[in-house]
Amino acid sequence: MPEDSERLARLARAWDDAAAGYDAYFVPRFAPWVELAVSAVVEADLPDGPILVPCCGTFPEAELLVERFPDREIAGIDLSDGMVARARERTSPWPNVTAIVGDAATLDPRWSGECAAVVSVFGLQQLPDPGLVMRSWLDALGPGGRLSVVFWPEKTETDGPFALMSEVVRGRLSAGEARPDRFAEIVTGHGAALERDEFVSYPMTHADASTFFDAFTRSGPARALALAQGDAFMDSLREEFLRLAPSGEWVHHPQARLIVAHR
Ligand SMILES: C[S@@+](CC[C@H](N)C(=O)[O-])C[C@H]1O[C@@H](n2cnc3c(N)ncnc32)[C@H](O)[C@@H]1O
């Protein structure tokens, strides 16, 4: 299997494993950012055309979009069969909503220039070349179409469980190259108008550090790390994480980045 297909297959397997727990643990905690991304689209006058939701996961964006656009074609795309199976369950009441298994980094040409909106939450930061992907999502928009993307930046918080997780992982594995942070230039350089570029934080609560660690590594973004590194690595990571973490309930305020643009 070529290297890229192998990487995608591993990532898809990680999210398959995570799907049930992700829906239960992270979807309610990430809900304010989903509302933020969707509101930038539902509050606008959209042109005709479908709404695309790359990296839809279990598709929490769907209900808010259907409320406002009950008759419009709304299509979610996700790499993971497990996520898409849950997305199809969630959206089964609405015949205008579909969930498709696929790589959101290389959109099917049939979307090109056709979409009224592209909305994506917490997918972009996982893609190997997010700048290129943002350009391709802009290319999917027709005239007047809107892009609304929420993603985790390199630094989400100075303390809190996300920061501590990055610190303990970085202590064991070399950090990847810092990602270029040029999304605003990418939008304007690609012929779209930038409307919003903001960092937005909401409070998130975890019962304690071990509850967070287990959710994050079994049902969240670090599932892929756990599969790649194995049990011994994860046990020692967990031990260090819990040694450095505060005891009791853990409330933090991570910030995500919102970019809204139109054609
Ligand atoms: C953190 S979840 C976010 C899901 C949903 N948007 C939400 O806010 O709950 C990230 C999703 O991105 C998907 N993903 C990662 N890489 C992808 C790719 N190249 N193409 C499509 N989906 C991808 C994962 O399978 C996972 O379901």
Side-chain angles (χ1 to χ4, degrees), residues 7-8 11-12 14-16 19 22-23 26-27 30-31 33-34 53-61 77-81 83-84 90 100-106 119-128 133 137 150 152 220-221:
R7 185 188 60 75
L8 286 176
L11 189 59
W15 283 110
D16 288 346
Y22 178 85
D23 217 13
F26 287 103
V27 166
F30 290 172
W33 287 282
V34 169
V53 185
C55 305
C56 63
T58 64
F59 219 163
E61 300 88 350
I77 302 174
D78 201 278
L79 201 57
S80 149
D81 285 313
M83 286 290 195
V84 167
R90 171 171 274 136
I100 303 161
V101 177
D103 180 5
T106 50
V119 183
S120 188
V121 183
F122 296 144
L124 188 73
Q125 76 282 339
Q126 299 175 62
L127 304 172
V133 173
W137 293 355
V150 164
W152 295 118

Side-chain angles (χ1 to χ4, degrees), residues 25-98:
Y25 195 86
F26 287 103
V27 166
R29 286 173 173 77
F30 290 172
W33 287 282
V34 169
E35 279 170 37
L36 175 75
V38 173
S39 69
V41 162
V42 300
E43 286 162 11
D45 274 333
L46 286 190
D48 290 340
I51 298 174
L52 208 56
V53 185
C55 305
C56 63
T58 64
F59 219 163
E61 300 88 350
E63 184 166 3
L64 298 169
L65 288 169
V66 170
E67 258 172 37
R68 167 76 169 80
F69 303 107
D71 302 317
R72 199 162 301 225
E73 180 183 359
I74 300 171
I77 302 174
D78 201 278
L79 201 57
S80 149
D81 285 313
M83 286 290 195
V84 167
R86 289 190 162 259
R88 287 180 181 150
E89 259 173 50
R90 171 171 274 136
T91 60
S92 61
W94 309 304
N96 54 317
V97 183
T98 51

